[in-house]
Amino acid sequence: MNAMSHNQAGNAYNFGFLDEYAKKEVRRAILKAIAIPGYQVPYASREMPMGRGFGTGGLQLTLSLIGPNEVVKVIDQGSDDSVNAVNLRRFIEMTCPGVSTTTATAECTLIQSRHRIPELPLTARQILVLQVPYPDPLVVVEPSEDKRKTMHGEADYSRLLVKLYEDIVKFGEITISHRYPTRINGHYVIDPSPIPRWDVPKLNDSAALILFGAGREKKIYAVPPHTKAEPLAFSDVPFRVEDFRDEQGRRRACARCGCVDSFLDEFVTDSGSKTYQCSDSDWCDMQLSKARQTQGEPA
Amino acid sequence: MNKILEVRGLSKIYGPGCPQCLESTGPEADTNLCPHCGSVVAIHDVSFDLFEGEILGVMGESGSGKSTVVKTLYFDQAPSSGEAIFFDNDRQYDLFSLNAAQQRWLRNHRFGMVYQNPNLGLNFNISAGGNIAERLLMSDLMDYGAIRERAKALLARTEVLLSRVDDLPKHFSGGMQQRVQIAKALATQPPLLFLDEVTTGLDLSVQARILDLILEIQQELKTAMVVVTHDLGVIRLLTGRAIVMKYGRVIETGLTDQILEDPQHAYTQRLVASAL
Ligand SMILES: Nc1ncnc2c1ncn2[C@@H]1O[C@H](COP(=O)(O)OP(=O)(O)OP(=O)(O)O)[C@@H](O)[C@H]1O
Ligand SMILES: [Mg+2]
Ligand SMILES: [Zn+2]
Ligand SMILES: [Zn+2]
């Protein structure tokens, strides 16, 4: 099939903006990343018409994966409506004619996200692309990339574990809030992008393929479906997700939808008090409409 | 007694090397620098055996190649040629034919090293306890409580104040830094320890206490050690056998007492005489 056949008359770009050669290269890197779970595969990151750091790494994956019947969702900080998410979604709509976009997690086939994995469990027909600013978890303990490569090859993560040890010594617990180092398939440790600890367990045994793209650092890596993903921890100090209990030990609820098992964002109200709301806006909407339905039904 | 280490024909040349390197260097040539190609023959044809629980001394003047011997055996540097067999219970390892991962495993689990410069043996940006934890984590101990207990026990054993377990070693005195290095090296209870000028540059009273500690450890744990030093006092106190090096070659080898009482080589005679 001729690649240009997707083009609508008058569209100056190739379908998916990238030329077919660039897309093929990204796809090859993706295949390799799937074959070696957690391994950072280098690829030739292209210039995109937006600054690096705005998700160009993730976007190149998304554009290389998009097919004509794709339903795409773009999330930034859990929300579909933030400026960055809207801009990326517009760019995809503009450069991929025929592709539809949605905010509903349940309806999409391809998700590009930053900072969050949706609360709704993903399915085998979905692919999640996460934007990554810093792909290598070892960069905090080893400045030389050559040495880091050897350490990854030998699964030598003792220096990362020492960081956790020192954290417990200083603070009585592991304080890493985002980018929690996670061991994939028993070997490579990845930086799972700036998702909160809350989302890390979703990497484990995921039904959906999860891909990571770092545009600036030119790396792609993957957690294939149903692969083991273990956050680094000690046998007697296990990994914990964020604790959303209040002073009385009750689980805080979303002020908007009432949900008590989602990741909450904290807001300060005009009166100065704190209030909490689902960070995943689509999830919050779903819970709200469910609640309205049950309220509408006779008891 | 069981042999723990067998070193044969160990050589290390820094530089391109040429056919005349070997004949143009060594004690007779009075240099380790090849005049034809500019290479440094840091060590050539070094052979010795080390037995379980034994302390072997490596002595010689500055630049004679002492550190190079232990650096190659600890895999800090690859030798140019030669062979070394490590006997570990009923297993044996041909050290220089192992791949990098196997070498790293031995380094982390079965060998220990204490450097003259604590900067090389310790990570100054993590606490004393963290330094020991790192070595324990390398050997796959994953229980925080157990790691912490073991780190404290090791620091107590090497007489580092427990109140300093969470302090950065860069704020420690030189003697304390060496104690932390020793604690770290001992963390995995290795049967073989390399000590490179561990007391050089320290106050005499501090030196004496560290040397005592090393002797106690050797008696307690039966650890075999290769002790590198240019200090005849250290050789006399710690070692049972010794090799004497000059310009990269072994010029004398034997029981320490004999070498010090009745040195055979003229160079050793001068070395011993000057130390009296
Ligand atoms: N990385 C290197 N590159 C080039 N030459 C080196 C290197 N390391 C050591 N040498 C040279 O090899 C020779 C032996 O060095 P080595 O450090 O083994 O000596 P040493 O006996 O330990 O001396 P010292 O008592 O001063 O520590 C010296 O001439 C030294 O300059
Ligand atoms: Mg030396
Ligand atoms: Zn909500
Ligand atoms: Zn030469």
Side-chain angles (χ1 to χ4, degrees):
Chain A
M1 189 179 72
N2 183 350
M4 298 301 276
S5 64
H6 288 308
N7 254 352
Q8 286 177 336
N11 190 338
Y13 301 117
N14 191 30
F15 176 83
F17 182 77
L18 297 170
D19 62 71
E20 292 306 305
Y21 179 82
K23 287 196 231 171
K24 266 187 196 155
E25 198 197 319
V26 172
R27 288 181 202 134
R28 265 198 297 270
I30 291 172
L31 287 173
K32 183 165 175 184
I34 294 169
I36 318 170
Y39 176 75
Q40 297 169 51
V41 182
Y43 79 108
S45 182
R46 295 300 169 104
E47 286 302 328
M48 298 297 284
M50 60 199 73
R52 283 190 178 152
F54 284 91
T56 57
L59 187 60
Q60 288 177 74
L61 267 71
T62 297
L63 295 174
S64 305
L65 291 167
I66 280 183
N69 299 318
E70 214 72 56
V71 184
V72 181
K73 172 180 164 78
V74 183
I75 320 170
D76 191 89
Q77 309 269 11
S79 162
D80 299 79
D81 303 324
S82 65
V83 179
N84 203 14
V86 171
N87 283 344
L88 284 178
R89 192 161 58 233
R90 283 219 189 104
F91 183 83
I92 291 168
E93 282 164 354
M94 201 174 74
T95 57
C96 306
V99 162
S100 55
T101 58
T102 180
T103 59
T105 305
E107 283 162 24
C108 66
T109 55
L110 183 61
I111 307 172
Q112 174 164 345
S113 176
R114 190 159 83 144
H115 303 296
R116 284 307 313 276
I117 295 177
E119 302 285 358
L120 186 73
L122 301 181
T123 65
R125 42 176 280 278
Q126 295 177 311
I127 295 176
L128 172 65
V129 173
L130 284 163
Q131 298 164 209
V132 187
Y134 311 101
D136 198 334
L138 286 173
V139 79
V140 289
V141 294
E142 177 54 61
S144 147
E145 175 157 17
D146 269 359
K147 286 196 187 139
R148 292 201 297 268
K149 270 192 185 153
T150 308
M151 290 164 80
H152 280 298
E154 297 180 1
D156 172 14
Y157 298 108
S158 50
R159 281 157 70 189
L160 268 185
L161 289 162
V162 171
K163 276 236 162 278
L164 304 190
Y165 163 93
E166 300 245 306
D167 227 25
I168 303 172
V169 166
K170 277 191 207 126
F171 307 107
E173 62 174 337
I174 298 169
T175 57
I176 304 169
S177 60
H178 293 81
R179 302 173 54 203
Y180 197 100
T182 303
R183 191 189 292 269
I184 305 306
N185 201 27
H187 187 108
Y188 292 105
V189 170
I190 62 162
D191 179 325
S193 83
I195 55 173
R197 284 186 300 190
W198 183 265
D199 287 342
V200 172
K202 295 174 189 161
L203 299 172
N204 186 49
D205 197 27
S206 160
L209 167 64
I210 303 174
L211 297 169
F212 300 83
R216 197 176 36 212
E217 305 287 332
K218 305 182 168 64
K219 295 283 165 50
I220 290 173
Y221 48 104
V223 179
H226 303 295
T227 301
K228 205 158 75 170
E230 309 157 282
L232 292 187
F234 294 99
S235 51
D236 55 338
V237 186
F239 171 83
R240 285 189 307 113
V241 298
E242 289 80 356
D243 184 357
F244 288 109
R245 280 172 302 181
D246 63 15
E247 294 76 11
Q248 283 80 45
R250 278 173 315 210
R251 175 56 153 89
R252 293 184 203 280
C254 169
R256 183 165 170 266
C257 75
C259 179
V260 290
D261 47 21
S262 65
F263 183 84
L264 299 173
D265 283 339
E266 185 183 291
F267 300 95
V268 180
T269 59
D270 294 341
S271 62
S273 63
K274 282 177 183 163
T275 175
Y276 297 86
Q277 222 178 75
C278 294
S279 129
D280 181 340
S281 56
D282 175 59
W283 175 262
C284 198
D285 289 346
M286 271 171 60
Q287 306 308 304
L288 205 58
S289 66
K290 254 197 228 163
R292 283 191 184 131
Q293 271 168 26
T294 38
Q295 272 164 16
E297 287 163 17
Chain B
M1 256 205 303
N2 293 325
K3 199 188 276 186
I4 193 157
L5 187 64
E6 181 181 295
V7 179
R8 292 292 178 268
L10 192 61
S11 300
K12 173 74 184 175
I13 298 176
Y14 290 106
C18 76
Q20 284 127 296
C21 272
L22 296 180
E23 60 188 44
S24 319
T25 59
E28 278 81 54
D30 213 28
T31 181
N32 65 2
L33 186 70
C34 174
H36 306 285
C37 71
S39 299
V40 174
V41 181
I43 54 174
H44 178 65
D45 200 19
V46 173
S47 302
F48 61 86
D49 292 332
L50 180 71
F51 295 89
E52 240 169 50
E54 185 189 27
I55 304 186
L56 176 82
V58 180
M59 57 194 276
E61 64 193 356
S62 181
S64 59
K66 306 180 296 295
S67 296
T68 306
V69 172
V70 289
K71 277 184 183 157
T72 51
L73 294 171
Y74 191 62
F75 308 119
D76 275 343
Q77 243 136 33
S80 308
S81 62
E83 194 181 57
I85 315 267
F86 170 57
F87 301 88
D88 191 17
N89 298 320
D90 45 0
R91 305 197 58 174
Q92 65 184 63
Y93 301 89
D94 182 357
L95 294 187
F96 306 126
S97 66
L98 301 175
N99 68 31
Q102 293 168 314
Q103 293 185 344
R104 193 178 68 88
W105 187 89
L106 274 183
R107 227 174 110 106
N108 295 340
H109 293 76
R110 308 307 286 157
F111 297 169
M113 172 71 117
V114 184
Y115 296 91
Q116 173 178 357
N117 182 352
N119 224 331
L120 293 176
L122 298 176
N123 184 339
F124 274 11
N125 299 316
I126 59 177
S127 63
N131 268 280
I132 296 170
E134 179 175 350
R135 196 158 150 90
L136 293 170
L137 286 162
M138 283 174 181
S139 62
D140 303 322
L141 179 60
M142 288 305 298
D143 184 289
Y144 172 80
I147 288 169
R148 190 118 180 103
E149 281 317 301
R150 183 115 182 82
K152 283 182 175 171
L154 284 158
L155 290 173
R157 180 64 199 86
T158 52
E159 290 157 29
V160 175
L161 284 177
L162 279 192
S163 58
R164 310 214 58 183
V165 59
D166 298 327
D167 294 347
L168 298 181
K170 68 173 157 211
H171 302 312
F172 291 4
S173 68
M176 273 254 272
Q177 290 174 342
Q178 293 312 59
R179 289 170 186 280
V180 177
Q181 264 206 95
I182 294 170
K184 179 176 186 174
L186 291 175
T188 54
Q189 293 187 293
L192 177 56
L193 210 55
F194 302 108
L195 303 162
D196 190 354
E197 308 269 12
V198 284
T199 54
T200 304
L202 300 176
D203 288 349
L204 282 181
S205 61
V206 177
Q207 280 195 24
R209 283 168 51 207
I210 288 182
L211 295 174
D212 279 348
L213 174 68
I214 293 169
L215 271 183
E216 284 167 27
I217 285 164
Q218 188 263 335
Q219 272 149 26
E220 260 170 54
L221 305 174
K222 300 280 171 274
T223 315
M225 304 186 192
V226 178
V227 170
V228 165
T229 180
H230 65 268
D231 184 336
L232 290 192
V234 172
I235 290 284
R236 192 190 302 276
L237 188 71
L238 293 184
T239 69
R241 281 191 312 124
I243 63 178
V244 184
M245 298 189 63
K246 190 180 186 196
Y247 291 123
R249 319 292 165 104
V250 176
I251 54 166
E252 188 154 353
T253 170
L255 296 174
T256 302
D257 285 346
Q258 274 174 17
I259 292 178
L260 295 182
E261 300 300 316
D262 182 21
Q264 299 301 302
H265 197 282
Y267 170 75
T268 320
Q269 288 164 3
R270 279 202 303 282
L271 206 65
V272 172
S274 68
L276 288 177

Coordinates of all heavy atoms in Angstrom, one line a residue, chain B residues 41-98:
Chain B
V41 N 56.9 -1.1 31.7 CA 56.7 -2.5 32.1 C 56.4 -2.5 33.6 O 57.4 -2.6 34.4 CB 57.9 -3.3 31.7 CG1 57.7 -4.8 32.1 CG2 58.2 -3.2 30.3
A42 N 55.2 -2.3 34.0 CA 54.8 -2.1 35.4 C 55.1 -3.4 36.2 O 55.7 -3.3 37.3 CB 53.4 -1.7 35.5
I43 N 54.8 -4.5 35.7 CA 55.2 -5.8 36.3 C 55.5 -6.8 35.2 O 54.9 -6.7 34.1 CB 54.1 -6.4 37.3 CG1 52.8 -6.5 36.6 CG2 54.1 -5.6 38.5 CD1 51.7 -7.3 37.5
H44 N 56.4 -7.7 35.4 CA 56.6 -8.8 34.5 C 57.0 -10.1 35.2 O 57.8 -10.1 36.1 CB 57.8 -8.4 33.5 CG 58.1 -9.5 32.5 ND1 57.1 -9.9 31.6 CD2 59.1 -10.3 32.4 CE1 57.6 -10.9 30.9 NE2 58.8 -11.2 31.4
D45 N 56.3 -11.1 34.8 CA 56.6 -12.5 35.2 C 56.5 -12.6 36.8 O 57.4 -13.2 37.4 CB 58.0 -12.9 34.7 CG 58.1 -14.5 34.7 OD1 57.0 -15.1 34.8 OD2 59.2 -15.0 34.7
V46 N 55.5 -12.1 37.3 CA 55.3 -12.2 38.8 C 54.6 -13.5 39.1 O 53.5 -13.8 38.5 CB 54.5 -11.0 39.3 CG1 54.2 -11.2 40.8 CG2 55.3 -9.7 39.2
S47 N 55.2 -14.4 39.9 CA 54.5 -15.6 40.3 C 54.6 -15.8 41.8 O 55.6 -15.5 42.4 CB 55.3 -16.8 39.6 OG 55.3 -16.7 38.2
F48 N 53.5 -16.3 42.4 CA 53.6 -16.7 43.8 C 52.4 -17.5 44.2 O 51.4 -17.5 43.4 CB 53.7 -15.4 44.7 CG 52.5 -14.5 44.6 CD1 51.3 -14.7 45.4 CD2 52.5 -13.4 43.8 CE1 50.2 -13.8 45.3 CE2 51.5 -12.5 43.7 CZ 50.3 -12.7 44.4
D49 N 52.4 -18.2 45.3 CA 51.3 -18.9 45.8 C 50.8 -18.2 47.1 O 51.7 -17.7 47.8 CB 51.6 -20.3 46.1 CG 51.9 -21.1 44.8 OD1 51.4 -20.8 43.8 OD2 52.8 -22.1 44.9
L50 N 49.5 -18.4 47.4 CA 49.0 -17.9 48.7 C 48.2 -19.0 49.3 O 47.4 -19.6 48.6 CB 48.2 -16.6 48.5 CG 47.6 -16.0 49.7 CD1 48.7 -15.3 50.6 CD2 46.5 -14.9 49.3
F51 N 48.4 -19.3 50.6 CA 47.6 -20.4 51.2 C 46.6 -19.8 52.2 O 46.6 -18.7 52.6 CB 48.6 -21.3 52.0 CG 49.6 -22.0 51.0 CD1 50.8 -21.4 50.6 CD2 49.2 -23.2 50.5 CE1 51.6 -22.0 49.7 CE2 50.0 -23.8 49.6 CZ 51.3 -23.2 49.2
E52 N 45.6 -20.7 52.5 CA 44.5 -20.3 53.3 C 45.0 -19.7 54.6 O 45.9 -20.2 55.3 CB 43.7 -21.5 53.7 CG 42.3 -21.5 53.3 CD 41.6 -22.9 53.4 OE1 41.8 -23.5 54.5 OE2 41.0 -23.4 52.4
G53 N 44.5 -18.5 55.0 CA 44.8 -17.9 56.3 C 46.1 -17.2 56.3 O 46.5 -16.7 57.4
E54 N 46.9 -17.2 55.2 CA 48.2 -16.7 55.2 C 48.2 -15.2 54.8 O 47.4 -14.8 54.1 CB 49.0 -17.5 54.2 CG 50.5 -17.1 54.1 CD 51.3 -17.7 53.0 OE1 50.6 -18.0 51.9 OE2 52.5 -17.9 53.1
I55 N 49.2 -14.5 55.4 CA 49.4 -13.1 54.9 C 50.7 -13.0 54.1 O 51.8 -13.3 54.7 CB 49.4 -12.1 56.1 CG1 48.1 -12.2 56.9 CG2 49.6 -10.7 55.5 CD1 48.0 -11.1 58.0
L56 N 50.6 -12.7 52.9 CA 51.8 -12.5 52.0 C 52.1 -11.0 51.9 O 51.2 -10.3 51.5 CB 51.6 -13.2 50.7 CG 52.7 -13.0 49.6 CD1 53.8 -14.1 49.9 CD2 52.2 -13.1 48.2
G57 N 53.4 -10.7 52.0 CA 53.8 -9.3 51.9 C 54.3 -9.0 50.5 O 55.0 -9.9 49.9
V58 N 54.0 -7.9 49.9 CA 54.6 -7.4 48.6 C 55.3 -6.2 48.9 O 54.7 -5.2 49.3 CB 53.6 -7.2 47.5 CG1 54.2 -6.8 46.2 CG2 52.8 -8.5 47.3
M59 N 56.7 -6.2 48.9 CA 57.4 -5.0 49.3 C 58.3 -4.5 48.1 O 58.5 -5.2 47.1 CB 58.3 -5.2 50.5 CG 59.2 -6.4 50.4 SD 59.9 -6.9 52.0 CE 61.2 -5.8 52.2
G60 N 58.8 -3.3 48.2 CA 59.6 -2.7 47.2 C 59.4 -1.2 47.2 O 58.4 -0.7 47.8
E61 N 60.3 -0.5 46.4 CA 60.2 1.0 46.5 C 59.0 1.5 45.6 O 58.4 0.7 44.9 CB 61.5 1.6 46.0 CG 61.8 1.2 44.6 CD 63.3 1.5 44.2 OE1 64.0 2.0 45.0 OE2 63.6 1.2 43.0
S62 N 58.8 2.8 45.7 CA 57.8 3.4 44.9 C 58.0 3.1 43.4 O 59.1 3.2 42.9 CB 57.7 4.9 45.2 OG 56.7 5.5 44.4
G63 N 56.9 2.7 42.7 CA 57.0 2.4 41.3 C 57.4 1.0 40.9 O 57.5 0.7 39.7
S64 N 57.7 0.2 41.9 CA 58.2 -1.2 41.6 C 57.1 -2.1 41.1 O 57.4 -3.2 40.6 CB 58.9 -1.8 42.8 OG 58.0 -1.8 43.9
G65 N 55.9 -1.7 41.2 CA 54.8 -2.5 40.6 C 53.9 -3.2 41.7 O 53.1 -4.0 41.3
K66 N 54.1 -2.9 42.9 CA 53.3 -3.6 44.0 C 51.8 -3.4 43.8 O 51.1 -4.4 43.8 CB 53.7 -3.0 45.4 CG 55.2 -3.0 45.6 CD 55.5 -2.4 47.0 CE 55.1 -0.9 47.2 NZ 55.9 0.1 46.3
S67 N 51.4 -2.2 43.6 CA 49.9 -2.0 43.5 C 49.4 -2.6 42.2 O 48.3 -3.2 42.2 CB 49.6 -0.5 43.4 OG 49.9 0.2 44.6
T68 N 50.2 -2.6 41.2 CA 49.7 -3.2 39.9 C 49.4 -4.7 40.1 O 48.5 -5.2 39.6 CB 50.8 -3.1 38.8 OG1 51.1 -1.7 38.7 CG2 50.3 -3.6 37.5
V69 N 50.2 -5.4 41.0 CA 50.0 -6.8 41.2 C 48.5 -7.0 41.8 O 47.8 -7.8 41.3 CB 51.0 -7.4 42.2 CG1 50.6 -8.8 42.7 CG2 52.4 -7.4 41.6
V70 N 48.2 -6.2 42.9 CA 46.9 -6.5 43.4 C 45.8 -5.9 42.6 O 44.7 -6.4 42.5 CB 46.8 -5.9 44.9 CG1 47.6 -6.8 45.8 CG2 47.2 -4.5 45.0
K71 N 46.0 -4.8 41.8 CA 45.0 -4.3 41.0 C 44.6 -5.2 39.9 O 43.4 -5.3 39.5 CB 45.5 -3.0 40.3 CG 45.3 -1.8 41.2 CD 45.7 -0.5 40.5 CE 45.6 0.7 41.4 NZ 46.5 1.8 40.9
T72 N 45.5 -6.0 39.3 CA 45.2 -7.0 38.3 C 44.4 -8.1 38.9 O 43.4 -8.6 38.4 CB 46.4 -7.5 37.6 OG1 47.3 -8.0 38.5 CG2 47.1 -6.5 36.7
L73 N 44.8 -8.5 40.1 CA 44.1 -9.7 40.8 C 42.7 -9.3 41.2 O 41.8 -10.2 41.2 CB 45.0 -10.2 42.0 CG 46.3 -10.8 41.6 CD1 47.1 -11.1 42.8 CD2 46.1 -12.1 40.8
Y74 N 42.5 -8.0 41.5 CA 41.2 -7.6 42.0 C 40.4 -7.1 40.8 O 39.3 -6.5 40.9 CB 41.4 -6.5 43.0 CG 40.1 -6.1 43.8 CD1 39.4 -7.0 44.5 CD2 39.6 -4.8 43.7 CE1 38.3 -6.7 45.2 CE2 38.4 -4.4 44.4 CZ 37.8 -5.4 45.1 OH 36.6 -5.0 45.8
F75 N 40.9 -7.2 39.6 CA 40.2 -6.9 38.3 C 40.0 -5.4 38.1 O 39.2 -4.9 37.4 CB 38.8 -7.5 38.2 CG 38.8 -9.0 38.4 CD1 38.1 -9.6 39.5 CD2 39.6 -9.9 37.6 CE1 38.1 -11.0 39.7 CE2 39.6 -11.2 37.8 CZ 38.8 -11.8 38.8
D76 N 40.8 -4.6 38.9 CA 40.8 -3.1 38.6 C 41.4 -2.9 37.2 O 41.1 -1.9 36.6 CB 41.5 -2.4 39.7 CG 40.7 -2.1 40.9 OD1 39.4 -2.2 40.7 OD2 41.2 -1.8 41.9
Q77 N 42.4 -3.7 36.9 CA 43.1 -3.5 35.6 C 43.3 -4.9 35.0 O 43.6 -5.9 35.7 CB 44.4 -2.9 35.8 CG 44.6 -1.5 35.2 CD 45.2 -0.6 36.1 OE1 46.1 -0.9 36.9 NE2 44.8 0.7 36.0
A78 N 43.2 -5.0 33.7 CA 43.5 -6.3 33.0 C 45.0 -6.5 32.8 O 45.7 -5.5 32.4 CB 42.8 -6.4 31.7
P79 N 45.5 -7.7 33.1 CA 47.0 -7.9 32.9 C 47.3 -8.0 31.4 O 46.4 -8.3 30.6 CB 47.3 -9.2 33.6 CG 46.0 -9.9 33.6 CD 44.9 -8.8 33.6
S80 N 48.5 -7.8 31.0 CA 48.9 -8.0 29.6 C 49.1 -9.5 29.3 O 48.8 -10.0 28.3 CB 50.2 -7.3 29.3 OG 50.2 -6.0 29.7
S81 N 49.5 -10.3 30.3 CA 49.6 -11.7 30.2 C 49.8 -12.3 31.6 O 49.9 -11.6 32.6 CB 50.8 -12.1 29.3 OG 52.0 -11.7 29.9
G82 N 49.7 -13.6 31.6 CA 49.8 -14.3 32.9 C 48.5 -15.0 33.3 O 47.5 -14.9 32.7
E83 N 48.6 -15.7 34.4 CA 47.5 -16.6 34.8 C 47.4 -16.5 36.3 O 48.4 -16.3 37.1 CB 47.8 -18.0 34.4 CG 46.6 -18.9 34.5 CD 47.0 -20.3 34.1 OE1 47.9 -20.9 34.8 OE2 46.4 -20.9 33.2
A84 N 46.1 -16.6 36.8 CA 45.9 -16.6 38.3 C 44.7 -17.5 38.5 O 43.7 -17.4 37.9 CB 45.7 -15.2 38.8
I85 N 45.0 -18.5 39.4 CA 43.9 -19.4 39.8 C 43.5 -19.2 41.2 O 44.3 -19.1 42.1 CB 44.3 -20.9 39.6 CG1 45.1 -21.2 38.4 CG2 43.1 -21.9 39.8 CD1 44.3 -21.6 37.2
F86 N 42.2 -19.0 41.4 CA 41.6 -18.8 42.7 C 40.9 -20.1 43.2 O 40.0 -20.5 42.4 CB 40.7 -17.6 42.7 CG 39.9 -17.4 44.0 CD1 40.5 -17.3 45.2 CD2 38.5 -17.4 43.9 CE1 39.7 -17.1 46.4 CE2 37.7 -17.2 45.1 CZ 38.4 -17.1 46.3
F87 N 41.3 -20.7 44.3 CA 40.7 -21.9 44.8 C 39.7 -21.5 45.9 O 40.1 -21.0 46.9 CB 41.8 -22.8 45.3 CG 42.8 -23.2 44.3 CD1 43.9 -22.4 44.1 CD2 42.7 -24.3 43.5 CE1 44.9 -22.7 43.2 CE2 43.6 -24.7 42.6 CZ 44.7 -23.9 42.4
D88 N 38.4 -21.8 45.6 CA 37.4 -21.4 46.6 C 36.7 -22.7 47.0 O 35.8 -23.2 46.3 CB 36.5 -20.4 45.9 CG 35.5 -19.8 46.9 OD1 35.8 -19.8 48.1 OD2 34.5 -19.2 46.4
N89 N 36.9 -23.2 48.2 CA 36.4 -24.5 48.6 C 36.7 -25.5 47.6 O 37.9 -25.7 47.2 CB 34.9 -24.4 49.0 CG 34.7 -23.4 50.1 OD1 35.5 -23.4 51.1 ND2 33.7 -22.5 50.0
D90 N 35.7 -26.1 47.0 CA 36.0 -27.1 46.0 C 35.9 -26.6 44.5 O 36.0 -27.4 43.6 CB 35.1 -28.4 46.2 CG 33.6 -28.0 46.4 OD1 33.4 -26.8 46.4 OD2 32.8 -28.9 46.6
R91 N 35.7 -25.3 44.4 CA 35.7 -24.7 43.1 C 37.0 -24.0 42.8 O 37.7 -23.6 43.7 CB 34.6 -23.7 42.9 CG 33.2 -24.2 43.3 CD 32.2 -23.3 42.8 NE 32.2 -23.2 41.4 CZ 31.3 -22.6 40.6 NH1 30.3 -22.0 41.2 NH2 31.5 -22.5 39.3
Q92 N 37.3 -23.9 41.5 CA 38.5 -23.1 41.2 C 38.2 -22.2 40.0 O 37.5 -22.6 39.0 CB 39.8 -23.9 41.0 CG 39.8 -24.8 39.8 CD 41.1 -25.7 39.8 OE1 41.3 -26.4 40.8 NE2 41.9 -25.5 38.8
Y93 N 38.7 -21.0 40.0 CA 38.5 -20.0 38.9 C 39.8 -19.6 38.3 O 40.7 -19.2 39.0 CB 37.8 -18.8 39.5 CG 36.5 -19.0 40.3 CD1 36.5 -19.4 41.6 CD2 35.3 -18.9 39.6 CE1 35.3 -19.6 42.3 CE2 34.1 -19.2 40.2 CZ 34.1 -19.5 41.6 OH 32.9 -19.7 42.2
D94 N 39.8 -19.6 37.0 CA 40.9 -19.1 36.2 C 40.6 -17.6 36.0 O 39.9 -17.2 35.1 CB 41.0 -19.9 34.9 CG 42.1 -19.4 34.0 OD1 42.8 -18.5 34.4 OD2 42.3 -20.0 32.9
L95 N 41.1 -16.8 36.9 CA 40.6 -15.4 37.0 C 40.5 -14.6 35.7 O 39.6 -13.9 35.4 CB 41.5 -14.6 38.0 CG 41.5 -15.1 39.4 CD1 42.2 -14.1 40.3 CD2 40.0 -15.2 39.9
F96 N 41.6 -14.7 34.8 CA 41.6 -13.8 33.7 C 40.9 -14.4 32.5 O 40.9 -13.8 31.4 CB 43.1 -13.4 33.3 CG 43.7 -12.8 34.5 CD1 45.0 -13.3 35.0 CD2 43.2 -11.8 35.2 CE1 45.6 -12.8 36.1 CE2 43.8 -11.2 36.4 CZ 45.0 -11.7 36.8
S97 N 40.3 -15.6 32.6 CA 39.5 -16.1 31.5 C 38.0 -15.9 31.8 O 37.2 -16.3 31.0 CB 39.9 -17.5 31.2 OG 39.5 -18.3 32.2
L98 N 37.7 -15.4 33.0 CA 36.3 -15.2 33.3 C 35.8 -13.9 32.6 O 36.5 -13.0 32.2 CB 36.1 -14.9 34.8 CG 36.6 -16.0 35.7 CD1 36.5 -15.5 37.2 CD2 35.8 -17.3 35.6

